Amino acid sequence: AGTAKMAALSGRTGWLRGWLPALPLLRRGSKAVTRHWRAMNFQRQKLLAVTEYLPPRPAVPPRCLPAPGDHPQEEDGYVRLLRRQVEEVFRSSRMVAVCQYNSMPDEDVVLMRHYLRKHNIEVKFVLNEIIRPVLAESKYRNLLPLFVCRNILLASPETRAKEMLRVLKGIPQVNLLGACIDDTILSRQGVENFARLPSLEASQGQTVGALSLLPSQTSSLLQRGPFLLTALLDEHIRRLRDTGAPGQPPQGQGT
């Protein structure tokens, strides 16, 4: 009996070893939901309700307070000082150039200031929040579209456009956007055209020469007739003296 039982078990085990399921069921790592909503304890709910923060009620209802726009906020004194400095720059400078400033090393900034100061051009770092309100209330309001990023001002009491362009040519981090020269707003191309013009003294000399040329020609044309008539009369008188007037004795035979 024992031998037969062992043979039967061995045959069953062999059958199990040789059998494989047609569709193996494998678990793909999904996790069972272990967290379910659970009602909060009633004692804890009462504790949270008792300890909840209640802000104090204002002494005056908000509807009784004045509107915020009725009392404008006073500006900072430092902001007013910076705006007065910007106004002074535009008032005392014949040339104010607006440039886009990109980040550059401090050593290059010092060299740029040095080269521009040699031509009496000062570099002014300004914030758009400071200069935009100043320009909006002045005659330079057409410069507002240029102040959309980080900008610097190049101010000079003289019109040194040629020298400024020569210095900025070697500084690619600073791009000229426009300028105001002698209360005239110019674009970048306008500044370059202005730099090609001769100096004011040379232009004044050329203008005076051109204006004096026409009057001198007119005067010479008007004086040409009297001069010619005077020369003809002098020549006629000289001939009469040489040959003697008709009906009169020649010279040397007195009465």
Side-chain angles (χ1 to χ4, degrees):
T3 305
K5 187 176 181 179
M6 291 180 61
L9 290 175
S10 62
R12 185 178 179 183
T13 304
W15 177 79
L16 290 176
R17 289 178 181 176
W19 178 82
L20 292 175
L23 295 176
L25 300 177
L26 300 178
R27 196 168 183 175
R28 297 297 181 180
S30 60
K31 297 182 180 180
V33 179
T34 58
R35 294 184 179 181
H36 298 278
W37 179 84
R38 184 178 179 182
M40 188 181 300
N41 190 6
F42 184 70
Q43 297 294 335
R44 187 176 180 182
Q45 293 181 14
K46 291 196 297 183
L47 179 62
L48 293 178
V50 171
T51 58
E52 184 181 1
Y53 173 75
L54 297 178
R57 298 180 60 182
V60 181
R63 62 178 179 274
C64 299
L65 297 175
D70 296 344
H71 301 283
Q73 187 178 4
E74 186 177 359
E75 294 182 353
D76 188 8
Y78 183 64
V79 174
R80 294 198 301 269
L81 175 62
L82 294 178
R83 290 181 180 177
R84 283 199 298 267
Q85 290 179 355
V86 173
E87 293 176 358
E88 182 62 26
V89 167
F90 279 90
R91 188 182 305 111
S92 61
S93 302
R94 294 180 57 189
M95 183 187 73
V96 179
V98 183
C99 301
Q100 179 185 1
Y101 175 76
N102 300 314
S103 180
M104 56 190 302
D106 296 339
E107 295 81 2
D108 296 343
V109 176
V110 173
L111 289 177
M112 179 185 66
R113 285 178 176 269
H114 171 69
Y115 291 142
L116 291 174
R117 193 176 293 114
K118 289 173 61 177
H119 302 291
N120 198 14
I121 302 175
E122 295 293 335
V123 180
K124 304 291 184 181
F125 288 86
V126 295
L127 298 175
N128 294 342
E129 295 79 6
I130 300 298
I131 193 171
R132 289 182 67 88
V134 176
L135 295 179
E137 300 176 357
S138 64
K139 59 183 178 181
Y140 307 106
R141 62 178 60 91
N142 291 333
L143 290 173
L144 284 174
L146 302 180
F147 293 91
V148 294
C149 57
R150 191 177 182 185
N151 302 98
I152 60 174
L153 299 179
L154 305 181
S156 174
E158 304 174 4
T159 56
R160 299 295 183 89
K162 185 181 298 183
E163 293 80 0
M164 179 187 65
L165 292 176
R166 188 183 304 116
V167 175
L168 295 182
K169 188 177 181 180
I171 307 176
Q173 293 85 355
V174 179
N175 302 319
L176 179 64
L177 302 178
C180 179
I181 301 177
D182 288 338
D183 295 337
T184 302
I185 298 177
L186 303 175
S187 62
R188 178 186 177 89
Q189 186 63 36
V191 176
E192 294 176 355
N193 296 336
F194 180 82
R196 299 190 189 100
L197 297 177
S199 61
L200 180 60
E201 292 77 9
S203 301
Q204 291 177 349
Q206 294 175 1
T207 304
V208 172
L211 293 177
S212 61
L213 178 61
L214 294 177
S216 62
Q217 292 179 352
T218 304
S219 177
S220 61
L221 290 175
L222 293 176
Q223 294 177 2
R224 182 177 179 180
F227 286 160
L228 181 59
L229 179 59
T230 303
L232 292 176
L233 292 176
D234 292 340
E235 181 67 18
H236 182 66
I237 293 173
R238 186 183 64 79
R239 289 182 180 181
L240 290 178
R241 288 178 179 177
D242 293 342
T243 58
Q248 294 182 359
Q251 295 181 359
Q253 298 181 3
T255 56

